[in-house]
């Protein structure tokens, strides 16, 4: 089934505008999902809200949103008042500027989307902007009302289309300095640094997301399949505990493993050499 656009509108750059469709870049539809059942009857159950004081159930038409302004004090917001606060959308992604791709801080990334011309018809304006961004290796920063909120969107060229990432606002991002402030400065040099660089070089590769599997989801799928087939469910093997070893010894051992060396062959060579040396001495 062809993907369905989640939003349709226009990209606008100065006086230039062209139509686009926005497609969700991720989906959870292939994950294993469960329903909550009544253990006794096997019937599905549903959620219900209760008044925490009276313990009476509260139906949907009696529910209202409230902002806690103090101890058990709430500011009540009516649905129509909240609706009025939602910004009006003109279905336009307005490009505010361009930034070099290496300058992008990915910590601000929220959700990925794909941006393409509607109906799969590649327009000249779309192609020109995309190719210009690719050649200059820049990303576009745009603003639009998406899904009831004003959002900042980062656009980058990818293949024949564009990748769009909604960005978190600055107030939503924790400052890295607050997390790292208690970490002491440490000067790393000499053999330790050389070994670390050597290990990194020998493990260099390409990013291939297909190489990373969702072991939890796979285990759930196997569990469901085994239950359906009436097979015995075997407990998975637990990974061995990681042993804490001396850092330099660990680096040296890792470096030997990556270059195809190990301690055992050299020991074997010494053992074979010893009888010959003794015969020569005799």
């Amino acid at each position: 089934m062809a993907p369905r656009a989640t939003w349709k509108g226009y990209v606008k750059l100065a006086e230039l505008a062209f139509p686009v469709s926005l497609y969700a870049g991720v989906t959870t539809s292939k994950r294993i999902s469960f329903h909550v059942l009544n253990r006794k009857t096997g019937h599905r159950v549903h959620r219900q809200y209760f008044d925490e004081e009276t313990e009476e159930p509260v139906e949907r038409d009696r529910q209202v949103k409230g902002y806690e302004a103090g101890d058990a004090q709430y500011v009540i917001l009516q649905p129509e008042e909240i609706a009025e606060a939602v910004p009006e959308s003109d279905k336009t992604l307005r490009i505010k500027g361009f930034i070099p791709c290496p300058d992008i801080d990915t910590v601000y990334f929220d959700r990925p989307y794909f941006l393409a011309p509607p109906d799969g018809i590649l327009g000249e304006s779309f192609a020109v902007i995309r190719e210009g961004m690719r050649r200059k290796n820049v990303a576009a920063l745009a603003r639009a009302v998406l899904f009831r909120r004003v959002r900042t969107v980062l656009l980058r060229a990818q293949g024949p289309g564009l990748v769009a990432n909604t960005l978190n606002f600055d107030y939503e991002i924790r400052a890295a300095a607050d997390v790292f402030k208690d970490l002491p400065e440490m000067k790393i040099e000499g053999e330790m640094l050389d070994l670390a660089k050597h290990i990194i070089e020998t493990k260099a590769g390409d990013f291939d997301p297909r190489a990373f599997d969702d072991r939890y989801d796979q285990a759930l799928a196997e569990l469901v399949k085994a239950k359906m087939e009436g097979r015995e469910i075997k407990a998975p093997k637990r990974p061995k505990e990681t042993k804490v070893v001396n850092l330099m010894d660990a680096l040296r051992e890792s470096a030997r493993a990556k270059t195809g060396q190990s301690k055992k062959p050299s020991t074997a060579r010494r053992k074979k050499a010893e009888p010959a040396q003794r015969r020569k001495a005799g």
Side-chain angles (χ1 to χ4, degrees), residues 1 28 75 110 120 159 179 212 241 254 256 262:
M1 183 181 293
T28 58
V75 176
D110 179 22
V179 180
F212 303 98
E241 291 187 9
S254 297
R256 277 193 291 269
S262 69

Side-chain angles (χ1 to χ4, degrees), residues 156-215:
R156 291 170 293 156
Q158 180 169 308
L162 295 170
V163 173
N165 281 89
T166 52
L167 302 182
N168 292 305
F169 291 102
D170 189 61
Y171 74 86
E172 296 176 303
I173 302 298
R174 288 178 174 156
D178 293 341
V179 180
F180 301 149
K181 63 182 179 181
D182 294 329
L183 294 179
E185 290 289 338
M186 185 177 292
K187 190 174 182 180
I188 307 295
E189 56 185 9
E191 183 188 5
M192 187 177 291
L193 183 58
D194 291 338
L195 286 169
K197 290 192 292 186
H198 174 69
I199 294 169
I200 292 170
E201 288 170 0
T202 56
K203 291 287 285 184
D206 298 317
F207 175 64
D208 182 5
R210 293 170 297 183
F212 303 98
D213 53 359
D214 187 343
R215 296 185 180 181

Side-chain angles (χ1 to χ4, degrees), residues 25-70:
V26 295
T27 176
T28 58
S29 62
K30 294 184 179 180
R31 289 182 183 171
I32 295 292
S33 60
F34 299 103
H35 295 291
V36 179
L37 308 178
N38 181 331
R39 184 189 293 272
K40 184 177 180 180
T41 65
H43 301 154
R44 288 177 60 178
V45 300
H46 66 274
R47 248 179 227 155
Q48 191 169 18
Y49 286 93
F50 289 84
D51 187 304
E52 66 178 17
E53 295 294 331
T54 67
E55 298 186 354
E56 294 289 331
V58 181
E59 301 303 326
R60 182 180 291 273
D61 60 354
R62 292 167 53 203
Q63 297 171 14
V64 67
K65 294 185 183 296
Y67 176 82
E68 189 170 6

Side-chain angles (χ1 to χ4, degrees), residues 2 4-5 23 46 52 54 60 73 77 82 112 138 140 164 172 177 190 194 201 221 229 231 258-259 271:
R4 183 179 177 182
Y23 300 88
H46 66 274
E52 66 178 17
T54 67
R60 182 180 291 273
Q73 299 295 317
L77 297 176
I82 295 175
V138 296
E172 296 176 303
D194 291 338
E201 288 170 0
E229 296 174 353
R231 291 188 283 111
K258 300 309 171 192
T259 54
K271 287 182 178 179

